Amino acid sequence: SQQGEEDPQALSIQEGENATMNCSYKTSINNLQWYRQNSGRGLVHLILIRSNEREKHSGRLRVTLDTSKKSSSLLITASRAADTASYFCATDAVNYGQNFVFGPGTRLSVLP
Amino acid sequence: GAVVSQHPSWVICKSGTSVKIECRSLDFQATTMFWYRQFPKQSLMLMATSNEGSKATYEQGVEKDKFLINHASLTLSTLTVTSAHPEDSSFYICSARTSGRLGTDTQYFGPGTRLTVL
Protein backbone atom coordinates (compact mmCIF):
# COMPACT_ATOMS: atom_id res chain seq x y z
CA SER A 1 0.00 0.00 0.00
CA GLN A 2 1.14 3.54 -0.62
CA GLN A 3 2.77 5.37 2.22
CA GLY A 4 2.54 8.93 1.02
CA GLU A 5 -0.62 10.68 0.00
CA GLU A 6 -0.32 14.02 -1.74
CA ASP A 7 -3.04 16.59 -1.94
CA PRO A 8 -4.38 18.18 -3.91
CA GLN A 9 -4.34 15.63 -6.70
CA ALA A 10 -4.42 18.42 -9.23
CA LEU A 11 -3.60 22.10 -8.94
CA SER A 12 -3.90 24.83 -11.54
CA ILE A 13 -2.43 28.29 -10.95
CA GLN A 14 -1.29 31.36 -12.86
CA GLU A 15 2.35 32.08 -13.54
CA GLY A 16 3.87 34.05 -10.70
CA GLU A 17 1.62 32.59 -8.04
CA ASN A 18 2.81 30.25 -5.34
CA ALA A 19 1.94 26.56 -5.37
CA THR A 20 1.60 24.50 -2.23
CA MET A 21 1.37 20.73 -2.20
CA ASN A 22 0.98 18.55 0.82
CA CYS A 23 2.00 15.01 1.61
CA SER A 24 0.86 12.83 4.47
CA TYR A 25 2.32 9.51 5.48
CA LYS A 26 1.54 6.78 7.93
CA THR A 27 4.64 5.30 9.52
CA SER A 28 7.92 6.50 10.97
CA ILE A 29 10.38 7.69 8.39
CA ASN A 30 14.11 8.28 8.03
CA ASN A 31 13.61 10.99 5.48
CA LEU A 32 11.13 12.30 2.95
CA GLN A 33 11.90 13.41 -0.56
CA TRP A 34 10.09 15.35 -3.23
CA TYR A 35 10.41 14.52 -6.90
CA ARG A 36 9.18 16.14 -10.09
CA GLN A 37 8.13 14.27 -13.19
CA ASN A 38 7.37 15.90 -16.49
CA SER A 39 4.81 14.11 -18.61
CA GLY A 40 6.17 10.83 -19.91
CA ARG A 41 9.62 11.44 -18.46
CA GLY A 42 11.68 10.15 -15.56
CA LEU A 43 11.87 11.51 -12.06
CA VAL A 44 13.93 14.49 -11.01
CA HIS A 45 15.00 14.67 -7.40
CA LEU A 46 14.10 18.03 -5.87
CA ILE A 47 14.85 17.98 -2.19
CA LEU A 48 15.40 15.66 0.75
CA ILE A 49 14.42 16.47 4.29
CA ARG A 50 15.47 14.29 7.17
CA SER A 51 13.23 13.31 10.05
CA ASN A 52 15.10 15.61 12.44
CA GLU A 53 14.70 18.65 10.15
CA ARG A 54 11.68 20.93 10.06
CA GLU A 55 12.30 23.09 7.02
CA LYS A 56 14.55 23.16 4.01
CA HIS A 57 15.02 25.56 1.12
CA SER A 58 16.36 25.10 -2.36
CA GLY A 59 15.99 28.01 -4.75
CA ARG A 60 12.27 28.65 -5.17
CA LEU A 61 11.41 25.49 -3.27
CA ARG A 62 10.58 25.32 0.38
CA VAL A 63 9.82 22.05 2.13
CA THR A 64 8.51 21.61 5.63
CA LEU A 65 8.20 18.45 7.66
CA ASP A 66 6.00 17.90 10.69
CA THR A 67 6.72 14.46 12.07
CA SER A 68 4.10 14.82 14.80
CA LYS A 69 1.43 15.21 12.12
CA LYS A 70 3.24 12.91 9.68
CA SER A 71 2.99 15.48 6.96
CA SER A 72 5.16 17.53 4.65
CA SER A 73 4.52 20.42 2.33
CA LEU A 74 6.25 21.62 -0.81
CA LEU A 75 5.98 25.29 -1.67
CA ILE A 76 7.03 26.57 -5.08
CA THR A 77 7.25 30.33 -5.10
CA ALA A 78 6.86 32.59 -8.13
CA SER A 79 5.80 29.68 -10.29
CA ARG A 80 6.70 29.44 -13.95
CA ALA A 81 5.10 27.58 -16.83
CA ALA A 82 8.13 25.27 -16.77
CA ASP A 83 7.09 24.11 -13.30
CA THR A 84 4.15 22.30 -14.88
CA ALA A 85 4.67 18.67 -13.91
CA SER A 86 3.60 16.00 -11.47
CA TYR A 87 5.13 16.18 -8.02
CA PHE A 88 5.58 13.15 -5.81
CA CYS A 89 6.63 12.73 -2.25
CA ALA A 90 8.51 9.59 -1.36
CA THR A 91 9.22 8.32 2.09
CA ASP A 92 12.21 6.33 3.21
CA ALA A 93 10.21 4.58 5.88
CA VAL A 94 11.97 2.98 8.79
CA ASN A 95 10.33 -0.37 8.24
CA TYR A 96 10.58 -0.47 4.46
CA GLY A 97 14.29 -0.92 4.24
CA GLN A 98 16.16 0.67 1.39
CA ASN A 99 13.40 1.58 -1.01
CA PHE A 100 11.08 4.54 -1.23
CA VAL A 101 7.32 4.46 -1.17
CA PHE A 102 5.72 7.00 -3.46
CA GLY A 103 2.48 8.84 -3.07
CA PRO A 104 0.03 9.26 -5.97
CA GLY A 105 1.36 12.70 -6.84
CA THR A 106 -0.01 16.17 -7.46
CA ARG A 107 -0.40 17.33 -11.06
CA LEU A 108 0.53 20.99 -11.18
CA SER A 109 -0.42 23.15 -14.14
CA VAL A 110 1.06 26.64 -14.29
CA LEU A 111 -0.78 28.75 -16.82
CA PRO A 112 1.09 31.51 -18.64
CA GLY B 1 25.13 14.37 -9.91
CA ALA B 2 24.93 10.66 -10.46
CA VAL B 3 23.49 9.49 -13.74
CA VAL B 4 21.39 6.45 -14.40
CA SER B 5 20.57 5.51 -17.96
CA GLN B 6 17.98 3.20 -19.41
CA HIS B 7 17.85 1.55 -22.77
CA PRO B 8 15.72 1.56 -24.78
CA SER B 9 13.74 4.68 -23.97
CA TRP B 10 10.76 3.50 -26.01
CA VAL B 11 9.87 0.06 -27.30
CA ILE B 12 6.90 -1.31 -29.17
CA CYS B 13 6.52 -5.05 -29.44
CA LYS B 14 4.01 -7.67 -30.46
CA SER B 15 2.06 -9.64 -27.92
CA GLY B 16 3.89 -12.80 -26.89
CA THR B 17 7.39 -11.49 -27.42
CA SER B 18 9.94 -10.74 -24.72
CA VAL B 19 11.51 -7.36 -24.12
CA LYS B 20 14.69 -6.59 -22.25
CA ILE B 21 15.27 -3.21 -20.59
CA GLU B 22 18.70 -2.20 -19.36
CA CYS B 23 19.48 0.07 -16.46
CA ARG B 24 23.01 1.37 -16.00
CA SER B 25 24.61 3.55 -13.38
CA LEU B 26 27.10 5.59 -15.36
CA ASP B 27 29.38 7.13 -12.78
CA PHE B 28 28.91 5.10 -9.65
CA GLN B 29 28.56 1.53 -8.49
CA ALA B 30 25.06 0.60 -7.45
CA THR B 31 24.81 -2.03 -4.79
CA THR B 32 21.06 -1.96 -5.06
CA MET B 33 18.80 -1.25 -8.00
CA PHE B 34 15.05 -0.92 -8.04
CA TRP B 35 12.49 -1.40 -10.76
CA TYR B 36 9.26 0.56 -10.76
CA ARG B 37 6.23 0.50 -12.99
CA GLN B 38 4.04 3.50 -13.61
CA PHE B 39 0.67 3.43 -15.33
CA PRO B 40 -0.69 6.62 -16.91
CA LYS B 41 -1.50 9.33 -14.39
CA GLN B 42 -0.56 7.06 -11.52
CA SER B 43 2.32 6.92 -9.12
CA LEU B 44 5.33 4.67 -9.24
CA MET B 45 4.86 1.19 -7.87
CA LEU B 46 7.89 -0.76 -6.78
CA MET B 47 8.16 -4.06 -8.61
CA ALA B 48 11.38 -5.50 -7.29
CA THR B 49 14.65 -4.80 -5.55
CA SER B 50 17.84 -6.31 -6.85
CA ASN B 51 21.23 -6.57 -5.24
CA GLU B 52 24.28 -7.34 -7.30
CA GLY B 53 24.99 -11.04 -7.48
CA SER B 54 21.84 -12.20 -5.74
CA LYS B 55 18.26 -12.92 -6.64
CA ALA B 56 15.83 -10.06 -6.83
CA THR B 57 13.19 -9.53 -4.19
CA TYR B 58 9.78 -9.06 -5.75
CA GLU B 59 6.90 -7.11 -4.31
CA GLN B 60 3.66 -8.87 -3.63
CA GLY B 61 1.64 -9.40 -6.77
CA VAL B 62 4.59 -9.13 -9.15
CA GLU B 63 5.23 -12.34 -11.06
CA LYS B 64 8.90 -13.20 -10.90
CA ASP B 65 8.68 -15.55 -13.87
CA LYS B 66 7.18 -12.82 -15.99
CA PHE B 67 9.49 -10.01 -14.95
CA LEU B 68 12.99 -11.45 -14.92
CA ILE B 69 15.58 -9.30 -13.23
CA ASN B 70 19.30 -9.81 -13.54
CA HIS B 71 21.71 -7.61 -11.61
CA ALA B 72 24.85 -8.86 -13.33
CA SER B 73 27.26 -6.19 -12.15
CA LEU B 74 27.46 -3.16 -9.92
CA THR B 75 26.55 -0.93 -12.85
CA LEU B 76 23.98 -2.96 -14.76
CA SER B 77 20.57 -4.42 -14.04
CA THR B 78 18.19 -5.77 -16.65
CA LEU B 79 14.45 -6.30 -16.59
CA THR B 80 13.03 -8.77 -19.09
CA VAL B 81 9.30 -8.74 -19.64
CA THR B 82 8.59 -12.24 -20.89
CA SER B 83 5.68 -13.10 -23.17
CA ALA B 84 4.48 -9.52 -23.04
CA HIS B 85 0.78 -8.74 -23.29
CA PRO B 86 -1.04 -5.44 -23.82
CA GLU B 87 -1.68 -5.12 -20.09
CA ASP B 88 2.08 -4.99 -19.57
CA SER B 89 2.20 -1.72 -21.48
CA SER B 90 3.54 0.78 -19.00
CA PHE B 91 6.37 3.12 -18.11
CA TYR B 92 9.19 1.20 -16.43
CA ILE B 93 11.65 3.19 -14.34
CA CYS B 94 14.76 1.93 -12.65
CA SER B 95 16.71 3.55 -9.88
CA ALA B 96 20.07 2.92 -8.34
CA ARG B 97 21.28 3.41 -4.84
CA THR B 98 24.76 3.30 -3.47
CA SER B 99 26.66 3.89 -0.29
CA GLY B 100 29.74 5.89 0.42
CA ARG B 101 30.69 8.97 -1.57
CA LEU B 102 27.25 9.64 -2.97
CA GLY B 103 25.45 8.79 0.22
CA THR B 104 22.71 6.32 0.92
CA ASP B 105 19.74 8.59 1.08
CA THR B 106 19.16 9.53 -2.51
CA GLN B 107 18.12 7.08 -5.14
CA TYR B 108 19.04 8.16 -8.63
CA PHE B 109 16.37 7.47 -11.17
CA GLY B 110 16.68 6.56 -14.79
CA PRO B 111 14.70 8.37 -17.48
CA GLY B 112 12.30 5.47 -17.88
CA THR B 113 11.33 3.09 -20.68
CA ARG B 114 7.92 3.25 -22.25
CA LEU B 115 6.74 -0.19 -23.29
CA THR B 116 3.81 -0.57 -25.65
CA VAL B 117 2.61 -4.07 -26.38
CA LEU B 118 0.37 -4.41 -29.41
Side-chain angles (χ1 to χ4, degrees):
Chain A
S1 60
Q2 290 182 350
Q3 161 83 311
E5 294 282 339
E6 295 94 343
D7 81 87
Q9 291 190 344
L11 179 62
S12 193
I13 60 174
Q14 294 293 131
E15 221 171 8
E17 293 180 340
N18 296 341
T20 300
M21 289 159 272
N22 302 298
C23 168
S24 61
Y25 57 92
K26 298 173 184 174
T27 64
S28 297
I29 61 171
N30 296 314
N31 63 69
L32 183 146
Q33 302 186 31
W34 285 91
Y35 290 84
R36 183 184 72 218
Q37 184 182 35
N38 290 83
S39 182
R41 310 287 285 273
L43 292 174
V44 174
H45 178 257
L46 295 177
I47 200 164
L48 176 153
I49 187 165
R50 299 183 191 281
S51 60
N52 61 352
E53 297 175 313
R54 292 296 168 259
E55 187 171 311
K56 225 170 173 181
H57 296 255
S58 177
R60 293 185 295 113
L61 305 180
R62 173 175 162 249
V63 168
T64 62
L65 179 65
D66 187 335
T67 52
S68 65
K69 295 181 180 178
K70 291 186 169 56
S71 68
S72 172
S73 68
L74 169 67
L75 169 67
I76 303 174
T77 60
S79 63
R80 306 166 182 168
D83 294 329
T84 295
S86 289
Y87 292 82
F88 296 94
C89 70
T91 53
D92 189 1
V94 171
N95 293 324
Y96 281 90
Q98 291 189 320
N99 60 278
F100 296 135
V101 181
F102 286 87
T106 292
R107 292 193 306 279
L108 174 65
S109 298
V110 181
L111 307 175
Chain B
V3 177
V4 175
S5 70
Q6 282 185 238
H7 177 79
S9 56
W10 195 311
V11 57
I12 301 173
C13 69
K14 291 183 179 179
S15 187
T17 60
S18 294
V19 174
K20 180 185 284 188
I21 303 169
E22 291 186 350
C23 175
R24 292 181 187 274
S25 56
L26 299 184
D27 55 359
F28 66 99
Q29 293 186 325
T31 52
T32 306
M33 285 186 169
F34 306 90
W35 286 96
Y36 294 83
R37 181 168 52 185
Q38 184 183 34
F39 292 107
K41 297 185 178 180
Q42 294 188 27
S43 188
L44 282 74
M45 297 299 293
L46 181 67
M47 298 175 66
T49 302
S50 74
N51 293 294
E52 186 265 340
S54 62
K55 290 184 178 180
T57 302
Y58 290 81
E59 295 297 302
Q60 193 171 12
V62 178
E63 301 175 57
K64 59 180 68 175
D65 293 331
K66 181 165 185 63
F67 299 99
L68 301 178
I69 292 171
N70 183 15
H71 194 153
S73 74
L74 287 173
T75 59
L76 173 65
S77 175
T78 61
L79 168 68
T80 301
V81 183
T82 61
S83 186
H85 291 283
E87 58 265 29
D88 298 324
S89 297
S90 188
F91 194 52
Y92 292 88
I93 301 176
C94 75
S95 71
R97 186 175 181 136
T98 187
S99 59
R101 179 173 65 88
L102 294 176
T104 59
D105 293 327
T106 305
Q107 285 182 222
Y108 298 92
F109 285 84
T113 296
R114 183 164 301 285
L115 170 64
T116 301
V117 184
L118 303 177

Short mmCIF file of all heavy atoms in Angstrom, two decimals, chain A residues 2 31 33 35 37 40-43 45 48 50 88 92 98-100 102-105 107, chain B residues 32 34 36 38 41-46 49 91 93 97 105-107 109-112 114:
data_model
loop_
_atom_site.label_atom_id
_atom_site.label_comp_id
_atom_site.label_asym_id
_atom_site.label_seq_id
_atom_site.Cartn_x
_atom_site.Cartn_y
_atom_site.Cartn_z
N GLN A 2 0.34 2.33 -0.50
CA GLN A 2 1.14 3.54 -0.62
C GLN A 2 1.31 4.16 0.75
O GLN A 2 0.40 4.22 1.55
CB GLN A 2 0.47 4.51 -1.59
CG GLN A 2 0.55 4.01 -3.02
CD GLN A 2 -0.06 4.98 -3.99
OE1 GLN A 2 -0.70 5.93 -3.58
NE2 GLN A 2 0.12 4.76 -5.27
N ASN A 31 13.61 9.72 6.19
CA ASN A 31 13.61 10.99 5.48
C ASN A 31 12.44 11.00 4.48
O ASN A 31 11.80 9.97 4.24
CB ASN A 31 14.94 11.23 4.75
CG ASN A 31 15.21 10.18 3.68
OD1 ASN A 31 14.55 10.12 2.66
ND2 ASN A 31 16.21 9.35 3.92
N GLN A 33 11.36 12.73 0.60
CA GLN A 33 11.90 13.41 -0.56
C GLN A 33 10.78 13.84 -1.49
O GLN A 33 9.73 13.19 -1.56
CB GLN A 33 12.87 12.50 -1.31
CG GLN A 33 14.02 12.03 -0.42
CD GLN A 33 15.04 11.24 -1.19
OE1 GLN A 33 15.26 11.46 -2.37
NE2 GLN A 33 15.71 10.32 -0.50
N TYR A 35 9.95 14.71 -5.54
CA TYR A 35 10.41 14.52 -6.90
C TYR A 35 9.45 15.21 -7.87
O TYR A 35 8.26 15.36 -7.58
CB TYR A 35 10.46 13.03 -7.26
CG TYR A 35 11.55 12.25 -6.57
CD1 TYR A 35 11.36 11.75 -5.28
CD2 TYR A 35 12.76 12.01 -7.21
CE1 TYR A 35 12.36 11.03 -4.66
CE2 TYR A 35 13.77 11.28 -6.58
CZ TYR A 35 13.56 10.80 -5.31
OH TYR A 35 14.55 10.09 -4.68
N GLN A 37 8.15 15.09 -11.98
CA GLN A 37 8.13 14.27 -13.19
C GLN A 37 7.35 15.01 -14.27
O GLN A 37 6.16 15.28 -14.11
CB GLN A 37 7.48 12.90 -12.92
CG GLN A 37 7.53 11.97 -14.14
CD GLN A 37 6.84 10.66 -13.88
OE1 GLN A 37 5.83 10.59 -13.18
NE2 GLN A 37 7.37 9.57 -14.47
N GLY A 40 5.49 11.85 -19.14
CA GLY A 40 6.17 10.83 -19.91
C GLY A 40 7.67 10.76 -19.70
O GLY A 40 8.37 10.09 -20.47
N ARG A 41 8.18 11.42 -18.69
CA ARG A 41 9.62 11.44 -18.46
C ARG A 41 9.95 10.81 -17.10
O ARG A 41 9.08 10.45 -16.33
CB ARG A 41 10.13 12.89 -18.50
CG ARG A 41 9.70 13.69 -19.70
CD ARG A 41 10.43 13.25 -20.95
NE ARG A 41 11.80 13.70 -20.97
CZ ARG A 41 12.19 14.88 -21.44
NH1 ARG A 41 11.29 15.73 -21.90
NH2 ARG A 41 13.46 15.21 -21.45
N GLY A 42 11.25 10.72 -16.83
CA GLY A 42 11.68 10.15 -15.56
C GLY A 42 11.56 11.14 -14.42
O GLY A 42 11.09 12.26 -14.57
N LEU A 43 11.99 10.69 -13.27
CA LEU A 43 11.87 11.51 -12.06
C LEU A 43 13.09 12.40 -11.88
O LEU A 43 14.21 12.01 -12.19
CB LEU A 43 11.75 10.61 -10.84
CG LEU A 43 10.47 9.80 -10.72
CD1 LEU A 43 10.57 8.86 -9.56
CD2 LEU A 43 9.28 10.72 -10.56
N HIS A 45 14.96 14.46 -8.84
CA HIS A 45 15.00 14.67 -7.40
C HIS A 45 15.04 16.16 -7.10
O HIS A 45 15.86 16.89 -7.65
CB HIS A 45 16.23 13.98 -6.82
CG HIS A 45 16.40 14.16 -5.35
ND1 HIS A 45 17.31 15.04 -4.81
CD2 HIS A 45 15.77 13.60 -4.31
CE1 HIS A 45 17.23 15.00 -3.49
NE2 HIS A 45 16.30 14.13 -3.17
N LEU A 48 15.51 16.67 -0.30
CA LEU A 48 15.40 15.66 0.75
C LEU A 48 15.36 16.37 2.09
O LEU A 48 16.13 17.31 2.33
CB LEU A 48 16.62 14.72 0.69
CG LEU A 48 16.75 13.64 1.77
CD1 LEU A 48 17.55 12.46 1.21
CD2 LEU A 48 17.43 14.14 3.03
N ARG A 50 15.32 15.38 6.23
CA ARG A 50 15.47 14.29 7.17
C ARG A 50 14.45 14.42 8.30
O ARG A 50 13.91 15.49 8.55
CB ARG A 50 16.89 14.26 7.72
CG ARG A 50 17.94 14.05 6.65
CD ARG A 50 19.35 13.97 7.22
NE ARG A 50 20.34 14.02 6.18
CZ ARG A 50 20.69 13.00 5.42
NH1 ARG A 50 20.11 11.83 5.61
NH2 ARG A 50 21.60 13.13 4.48
N PHE A 88 5.77 14.30 -6.69
CA PHE A 88 5.58 13.15 -5.81
C PHE A 88 6.40 13.32 -4.54
O PHE A 88 7.53 13.81 -4.59
CB PHE A 88 6.05 11.86 -6.49
CG PHE A 88 5.30 11.48 -7.72
CD1 PHE A 88 5.75 11.87 -8.97
CD2 PHE A 88 4.14 10.72 -7.63
CE1 PHE A 88 5.06 11.51 -10.11
CE2 PHE A 88 3.44 10.36 -8.77
CZ PHE A 88 3.91 10.76 -10.01
N ASP A 92 11.24 7.38 2.88
CA ASP A 92 12.21 6.33 3.21
C ASP A 92 11.80 5.85 4.60
O ASP A 92 12.33 6.32 5.60
CB ASP A 92 13.62 6.90 3.20
CG ASP A 92 14.66 5.80 3.30
OD1 ASP A 92 14.29 4.62 3.37
OD2 ASP A 92 15.86 6.12 3.33
N GLN A 98 15.41 -0.27 2.22
CA GLN A 98 16.16 0.67 1.39
C GLN A 98 15.39 1.19 0.19
O GLN A 98 15.98 1.69 -0.73
CB GLN A 98 17.43 0.00 0.91
CG GLN A 98 18.43 -0.26 2.04
CD GLN A 98 19.75 -0.72 1.49
OE1 GLN A 98 19.81 -1.52 0.56
NE2 GLN A 98 20.84 -0.22 2.04
N ASN A 99 14.10 1.05 0.14
CA ASN A 99 13.40 1.58 -1.01
C ASN A 99 12.41 2.66 -0.56
O ASN A 99 12.07 2.76 0.61
CB ASN A 99 12.65 0.48 -1.75
CG ASN A 99 11.64 -0.21 -0.87
OD1 ASN A 99 11.98 -1.07 -0.11
ND2 ASN A 99 10.40 0.21 -0.97
N PHE A 100 12.01 3.47 -1.51
CA PHE A 100 11.08 4.54 -1.23
C PHE A 100 9.67 4.12 -1.59
O PHE A 100 9.46 3.35 -2.50
CB PHE A 100 11.44 5.79 -2.04
CG PHE A 100 12.76 6.37 -1.67
CD1 PHE A 100 13.65 6.76 -2.66
CD2 PHE A 100 13.12 6.54 -0.36
CE1 PHE A 100 14.88 7.29 -2.34
CE2 PHE A 100 14.36 7.08 -0.02
CZ PHE A 100 15.24 7.46 -1.02
N PHE A 102 6.21 5.77 -2.84
CA PHE A 102 5.72 7.00 -3.46
C PHE A 102 4.24 7.23 -3.22
O PHE A 102 3.45 6.28 -3.18
CB PHE A 102 5.95 6.95 -4.97
CG PHE A 102 7.39 7.16 -5.36
CD1 PHE A 102 8.26 6.10 -5.42
CD2 PHE A 102 7.85 8.43 -5.66
CE1 PHE A 102 9.59 6.28 -5.77
CE2 PHE A 102 9.17 8.62 -6.02
CZ PHE A 102 10.04 7.55 -6.06
N GLY A 103 3.88 8.48 -3.09
CA GLY A 103 2.48 8.84 -3.07
C GLY A 103 1.95 8.95 -4.48
O GLY A 103 2.71 8.82 -5.45
N PRO A 104 0.65 9.22 -4.64
CA PRO A 104 0.03 9.26 -5.97
C PRO A 104 0.40 10.50 -6.77
O PRO A 104 0.21 10.54 -7.98
CB PRO A 104 -1.47 9.22 -5.67
CG PRO A 104 -1.59 9.76 -4.30
CD PRO A 104 -0.36 9.35 -3.57
N GLY A 105 0.90 11.52 -6.10
CA GLY A 105 1.36 12.70 -6.84
C GLY A 105 0.33 13.81 -6.95
O GLY A 105 -0.88 13.59 -6.81
N ARG A 107 -0.65 16.80 -9.71
CA ARG A 107 -0.40 17.33 -11.06
C ARG A 107 -0.57 18.84 -11.03
O ARG A 107 -1.66 19.35 -10.82
CB ARG A 107 -1.36 16.70 -12.07
CG ARG A 107 -1.08 15.22 -12.30
CD ARG A 107 -1.84 14.70 -13.53
NE ARG A 107 -3.26 14.96 -13.46
CZ ARG A 107 -4.13 14.21 -12.78
NH1 ARG A 107 -3.70 13.17 -12.10
NH2 ARG A 107 -5.42 14.49 -12.79
N THR B 32 22.47 -1.60 -4.98
CA THR B 32 21.06 -1.96 -5.06
C THR B 32 20.39 -1.19 -6.18
O THR B 32 20.62 0.01 -6.33
CB THR B 32 20.33 -1.64 -3.73
OG1 THR B 32 21.03 -2.26 -2.65
CG2 THR B 32 18.90 -2.14 -3.76
N PHE B 34 16.49 -0.73 -8.21
CA PHE B 34 15.05 -0.92 -8.04
C PHE B 34 14.38 -0.78 -9.39
O PHE B 34 14.76 0.05 -10.21
CB PHE B 34 14.48 0.12 -7.07
CG PHE B 34 15.17 0.18 -5.73
CD1 PHE B 34 16.26 1.01 -5.54
CD2 PHE B 34 14.75 -0.61 -4.68
CE1 PHE B 34 16.91 1.06 -4.32
CE2 PHE B 34 15.39 -0.56 -3.45
CZ PHE B 34 16.47 0.28 -3.27
N TYR B 36 10.59 0.05 -11.01
CA TYR B 36 9.26 0.56 -10.76
C TYR B 36 8.44 0.49 -12.04
O TYR B 36 8.97 0.55 -13.14
CB TYR B 36 9.30 2.03 -10.30
CG TYR B 36 9.96 2.28 -8.96
CD1 TYR B 36 11.34 2.39 -8.85
CD2 TYR B 36 9.19 2.44 -7.81
CE1 TYR B 36 11.94 2.65 -7.63
CE2 TYR B 36 9.79 2.71 -6.58
CZ TYR B 36 11.16 2.81 -6.50
OH TYR B 36 11.75 3.07 -5.29
N GLN B 38 4.94 2.37 -13.76
CA GLN B 38 4.04 3.50 -13.61
C GLN B 38 3.00 3.47 -14.73
O GLN B 38 3.36 3.58 -15.91
CB GLN B 38 4.80 4.82 -13.64
CG GLN B 38 3.93 6.04 -13.39
CD GLN B 38 4.71 7.33 -13.50
OE1 GLN B 38 5.63 7.43 -14.30
NE2 GLN B 38 4.35 8.31 -12.70
N LYS B 41 -0.92 8.48 -15.42
CA LYS B 41 -1.50 9.33 -14.39
C LYS B 41 -1.53 8.66 -13.02
O LYS B 41 -2.33 9.03 -12.17
CB LYS B 41 -2.91 9.78 -14.80
CG LYS B 41 -2.92 10.63 -16.06
CD LYS B 41 -4.29 11.17 -16.39
CE LYS B 41 -4.22 12.05 -17.64
NZ LYS B 41 -5.54 12.58 -18.01
N GLN B 42 -0.65 7.71 -12.83
CA GLN B 42 -0.56 7.06 -11.52
C GLN B 42 0.85 7.20 -10.98
O GLN B 42 1.76 7.67 -11.66
CB GLN B 42 -0.95 5.59 -11.62
CG GLN B 42 -2.42 5.38 -11.97
CD GLN B 42 -2.81 3.92 -11.86
OE1 GLN B 42 -2.22 3.15 -11.12
NE2 GLN B 42 -3.82 3.54 -12.62
N SER B 43 1.01 6.79 -9.75
CA SER B 43 2.32 6.92 -9.12
C SER B 43 3.20 5.73 -9.49
O SER B 43 2.78 4.82 -10.19
CB SER B 43 2.14 6.99 -7.61
OG SER B 43 3.36 7.28 -6.99
N LEU B 44 4.41 5.77 -9.01
CA LEU B 44 5.33 4.67 -9.24
C LEU B 44 5.06 3.56 -8.23
O LEU B 44 4.90 3.81 -7.04
CB LEU B 44 6.78 5.12 -9.05
CG LEU B 44 7.40 5.90 -10.19
CD1 LEU B 44 6.87 7.32 -10.26
CD2 LEU B 44 8.92 5.92 -10.07
N MET B 45 5.03 2.35 -8.73
CA MET B 45 4.86 1.19 -7.87
C MET B 45 6.10 0.33 -7.96
O MET B 45 6.52 -0.05 -9.04
CB MET B 45 3.63 0.38 -8.30
CG MET B 45 2.33 1.15 -8.19
SD MET B 45 1.96 1.69 -6.51
CE MET B 45 1.68 0.13 -5.71
N LEU B 46 6.68 0.06 -6.81
CA LEU B 46 7.89 -0.76 -6.78
C LEU B 46 7.56 -2.18 -7.21
O LEU B 46 6.61 -2.79 -6.72
CB LEU B 46 8.48 -0.76 -5.38
CG LEU B 46 9.77 -1.56 -5.18
CD1 LEU B 46 10.91 -0.92 -5.96
CD2 LEU B 46 10.11 -1.66 -3.71
N THR B 49 13.36 -5.34 -6.01
CA THR B 49 14.65 -4.80 -5.55
C THR B 49 15.72 -5.82 -5.90
O THR B 49 15.55 -7.02 -5.61
CB THR B 49 14.63 -4.58 -4.03
OG1 THR B 49 13.56 -3.69 -3.71
CG2 THR B 49 15.95 -4.01 -3.54
N PHE B 91 5.11 2.39 -18.18
CA PHE B 91 6.37 3.12 -18.11
C PHE B 91 7.20 2.45 -17.02
O PHE B 91 6.75 2.37 -15.87
CB PHE B 91 6.06 4.58 -17.76
CG PHE B 91 7.19 5.55 -17.97
CD1 PHE B 91 7.86 5.61 -19.18
CD2 PHE B 91 7.56 6.43 -16.97
CE1 PHE B 91 8.88 6.51 -19.39
CE2 PHE B 91 8.59 7.34 -17.17
CZ PHE B 91 9.25 7.39 -18.38
N ILE B 93 10.58 2.32 -14.81
CA ILE B 93 11.65 3.19 -14.34
C ILE B 93 12.55 2.43 -13.38
O ILE B 93 12.06 1.74 -12.48
CB ILE B 93 11.08 4.43 -13.62
CG1 ILE B 93 10.17 5.23 -14.55
CG2 ILE B 93 12.20 5.32 -13.09
CD1 ILE B 93 9.49 6.41 -13.87
N ARG B 97 20.93 2.86 -6.14
CA ARG B 97 21.28 3.41 -4.84
C ARG B 97 22.65 2.88 -4.46
O ARG B 97 22.98 1.74 -4.73
CB ARG B 97 20.25 2.96 -3.82
CG ARG B 97 20.37 3.56 -2.44
CD ARG B 97 19.20 3.10 -1.59
NE ARG B 97 19.27 3.67 -0.26
CZ ARG B 97 18.23 4.19 0.37
NH1 ARG B 97 17.07 4.21 -0.20
NH2 ARG B 97 18.36 4.67 1.59
N ASP B 105 21.10 8.09 0.95
CA ASP B 105 19.74 8.59 1.08
C ASP B 105 19.06 8.90 -0.23
O ASP B 105 17.85 9.00 -0.25
CB ASP B 105 19.75 9.87 1.94
CG ASP B 105 20.14 9.58 3.36
OD1 ASP B 105 19.81 8.49 3.84
OD2 ASP B 105 20.79 10.42 3.97
N THR B 106 19.78 9.12 -1.26
CA THR B 106 19.16 9.53 -2.51
C THR B 106 19.28 8.43 -3.54
O THR B 106 20.36 8.00 -3.87
CB THR B 106 19.84 10.80 -3.07
OG1 THR B 106 19.79 11.81 -2.08
CG2 THR B 106 19.12 11.26 -4.32
N GLN B 107 18.12 7.99 -4.01
CA GLN B 107 18.12 7.08 -5.14
C GLN B 107 18.18 7.92 -6.40
O GLN B 107 17.56 8.97 -6.49
CB GLN B 107 16.82 6.26 -5.16
CG GLN B 107 16.79 5.17 -4.11
CD GLN B 107 15.52 4.34 -4.18
OE1 GLN B 107 14.94 4.02 -3.17
NE2 GLN B 107 15.09 4.01 -5.37
N PHE B 109 17.32 8.12 -10.28
CA PHE B 109 16.37 7.47 -11.17
C PHE B 109 16.79 7.58 -12.64
O PHE B 109 17.34 8.59 -13.07
CB PHE B 109 14.98 8.09 -10.99
CG PHE B 109 14.31 7.66 -9.73
CD1 PHE B 109 14.58 8.31 -8.53
CD2 PHE B 109 13.44 6.59 -9.72
CE1 PHE B 109 13.98 7.91 -7.35
CE2 PHE B 109 12.83 6.19 -8.54
CZ PHE B 109 13.10 6.84 -7.36
N GLY B 110 16.47 6.52 -13.36
CA GLY B 110 16.68 6.56 -14.79
C GLY B 110 15.55 7.32 -15.46
O GLY B 110 14.55 7.65 -14.83
N PRO B 111 15.70 7.59 -16.76
CA PRO B 111 14.70 8.37 -17.48
C PRO B 111 13.43 7.59 -17.81
O PRO B 111 12.44 8.17 -18.24
CB PRO B 111 15.42 8.78 -18.76
CG PRO B 111 16.43 7.69 -18.96
CD PRO B 111 16.86 7.27 -17.59
N GLY B 112 13.48 6.27 -17.62
CA GLY B 112 12.30 5.47 -17.88
C GLY B 112 12.27 4.86 -19.27
O GLY B 112 12.92 5.36 -20.20
N ARG B 114 9.35 3.42 -21.98
CA ARG B 114 7.92 3.25 -22.25
C ARG B 114 7.74 2.01 -23.11
O ARG B 114 8.27 1.92 -24.21
CB ARG B 114 7.35 4.48 -22.96
CG ARG B 114 5.84 4.37 -23.19
CD ARG B 114 5.21 5.70 -23.52
NE ARG B 114 5.39 6.71 -22.48
CZ ARG B 114 4.73 6.73 -21.33
NH1 ARG B 114 3.85 5.79 -21.06
NH2 ARG B 114 4.96 7.68 -20.46
#
